[in-house]
Amino acid sequence: VGAASGVTPAPWHRTRAGFASEFHRVLRPGGASVLTLISHPPLAFARAEAATLGDVFDATAVIAPPERLAGDVGGNFVMVGTDAVDATAIQRQLDARGEGEQVITGASLDAFIGDAPVLTDAYAPVDQLLEPQPAAG
């Protein structure tokens, strides 16, 4: 994956636990780290980034349409790391938009992450975790 395919890997240093820890350190109380990333089945990058945020923050949430969360298709994922997530309030706002996104936290998030690794300085192979976009046609 790279320039030849038109996909640019995420800067690895911004995906690792050390960066998330530093971001968490400078947040005001009640603040949140919110990021968007793209991942495709089997969602290795999305799952690893969710594991990474979960390792740093007290509460983590992932937002995407159900078929994306199930790993059936790829695309954008919104990830939130904070001290406390009101998943009900987030879901209410998502429902008001009417686009079908879901927020997952807790056991649903744990199932989404599975055995994905935490991205660290020693292990942040974002270029290897990014799956190529499916061929058109």
Side-chain angles (χ1 to χ4, degrees):
V1 176
S5 66
V7 177
T8 303
W12 72 269
H13 65 282
R14 293 185 183 169
T15 65
R16 63 184 177 76
F19 184 83
S21 293
E22 184 63 15
F23 199 94
H24 184 255
R25 184 187 68 77
V26 299
L27 279 177
R28 292 183 178 161
S33 171
V34 180
L35 60 101
T36 302
L37 61 85
I38 298 172
S39 192
H40 292 280
L43 307 180
F45 179 41
R47 295 175 198 280
E49 189 60 30
T52 302
L53 290 176
D55 191 58
V56 172
F57 291 91
D58 293 335
T60 305
V62 175
I63 302 165
E67 63 276 6
R68 225 172 276 156
L69 293 169
D72 297 335
V73 298
N76 290 335
F77 292 81
V78 175
M79 303 207 171
V80 180
T82 187
D83 294 326
V85 172
D86 186 343
T88 303
I90 294 171
Q91 190 62 59
R92 201 172 20 251
Q93 291 176 351
L94 293 170
D95 292 344
R97 290 178 45 174
E99 296 182 15
E101 295 107 343
Q102 290 183 339
V103 59
I104 58 170
T105 59
S108 296
L109 181 60
D110 291 342
F112 175 81
I113 292 170
D115 62 356
V118 170
L119 301 173
T120 66
D121 282 347
Y123 183 82
V126 174
D127 58 334
Q128 296 170 35
L129 294 174
L130 285 170
E131 300 78 20
Q133 293 187 14

